Amino acid sequence: MSRPRVIRCAACAGRIKPHHPHIGVEDLETGVEFSYHVRLGCQIRCAEETDTRLEAGKVFAAHHYHSARCPDEAPGFGCAGGCFDTPMAVAN
Ligand SMILES: [Zn+2]
Ligand SMILES: [Zn+2]
C-alpha cells in the first residue's frame, strides 16, 4: 500500500503527478475513480464523459484534489493555492 499510485488522466492519458491538483470522478457503484487534469481541455472531456456515464444510469461523486503545496484542505474552487482557478465546465 506504500507504493504511490500512478494516476493517469482519463481524457488525455497523460500522467497526473499526485502532488498536482486534479479532479477525480468516482463511480460510487464500483469504486473506480476517473482522474482528470485541471486544464480546460481535460475538464471539458471530464464533463462530457461524466454526462455520458450519468446517462447510463451511473452515480458519481466528484473529488477535487488540491496540490501538495496548497494550504487549503477543503475541496472546491477558489482555494488559497489557486488549484482550480480555471472554471470547470460542468454541464448541468
Ligand atoms: Zn489530461
Ligand atoms: Zn488548492
Side-chain angles (χ1 to χ4, degrees), residues 50-71:
T50 303
D51 263 6
T52 305
R53 294 183 189 119
L54 286 172
E55 280 167 19
K58 293 188 175 293
V59 185
F60 291 95
H63 305 287
H64 294 91
Y65 297 100
H66 293 258
S67 85
R69 287 176 304 145
C70 178

Side-chain angles (χ1 to χ4, degrees), residues 3-87:
R3 202 166 67 106
R5 186 167 72 107
V6 174
I7 309 167
R8 286 194 183 276
C9 177
C12 70
R15 192 167 171 177
I16 302 171
K17 295 192 174 79
H19 59 279
H20 281 184
H22 61 279
I23 298 158
V25 181
E26 182 187 0
D27 184 329
L28 293 179
E29 208 172 310
T30 63
V32 172
E33 187 166 310
F34 303 93
S35 301
Y36 295 89
H37 288 117
V38 172
R39 64 170 173 256
L40 193 58
C42 297
Q43 285 196 43
I44 291 170
R45 277 287 293 272
C46 170
E48 287 173 354
E49 292 182 3
T50 303
D51 263 6
T52 305
R53 294 183 189 119
L54 286 172
E55 280 167 19
K58 293 188 175 293
V59 185
F60 291 95
H63 305 287
H64 294 91
Y65 297 100
H66 293 258
S67 85
R69 287 176 304 145
C70 178
D72 198 340
E73 293 281 316
F77 300 98
C79 68
C83 304
F84 303 104
D85 277 352
T86 310

